[in-house]
Amino acid sequence: MNSTQLNQIFQTLSFERMQTYENKTKTREQAVELYLWNAQISGAFLFPLHICEVTIRNAHHEPIFDEKLLSIYNKIIKIIGYRCQETANWVASHQTVTTLITQKPKI
């Protein structure tokens, strides 16, 4: 790939976006290769994420009152924390799950 092609790709995708990849590599060509791989691996995750999303959506149609809700909530926060602990903390500070769990009607 020549420098004209690389510049055109950077311009099309945006120099700002490509800066992230360029900062992790030694050359612009490597940055484009990393960008391509990132797009491919992100696409590969779509199927597993889709199944996860459908599973969660289907769970909403099933009664969840017999589930271990606090355990499920803690797992969700943990998963968010794998990506960003600050975001997990933010979600935890604004959620209402734990309050609603304590308000479950006595049956």
Side-chain angles (χ1 to χ4, degrees):
M1 195 174 308
N2 65 42
S3 62
T4 301
Q5 290 170 317
L6 289 170
N7 282 334
Q8 288 174 339
I9 291 169
F10 268 64
Q11 185 173 3
T12 299
L13 297 175
S14 92
F15 289 98
E16 183 178 78
R17 174 183 298 267
M18 292 305 295
Q19 186 68 47
T20 300
Y21 299 90
E22 201 169 20
N23 289 343
K24 297 288 184 180
T25 59
K26 295 178 183 171
T27 67
R28 280 195 158 182
E29 189 164 357
Q30 288 176 337
V32 169
E33 289 173 8
L34 183 59
Y35 181 87
L36 176 60
W37 177 83
N38 189 72
Q40 291 169 331
I41 195 69
S42 295
F45 272 98
L46 286 179
F47 174 66
L49 287 171
H50 168 73
I51 298 302
C52 181
E53 185 265 338
V54 168
T55 302
I56 290 169
R57 246 188 316 123
N58 288 344
H60 283 261
H61 295 289
E62 299 293 325
I64 62 171
F65 51 78
D66 286 332
E67 299 295 326
K68 296 177 182 172
L69 298 177
L70 187 57
S71 175
I72 292 169
Y73 164 75
N74 287 330
K75 288 175 185 173
I76 291 169
I77 295 299
K78 185 175 183 178
I79 290 168
I80 295 168
Y82 289 145
R83 175 64 176 94
C84 176
Q85 190 56 51
E86 191 62 35
T87 301
N89 295 343
W90 176 76
V91 170
S93 71
H94 289 85
Q95 59 82 26
T96 59
V97 172
T98 54
T99 300
L100 287 168
I101 288 172
T102 66
Q103 295 173 358
K104 179 181 176 182
K106 305 288 186 232
I107 52 173

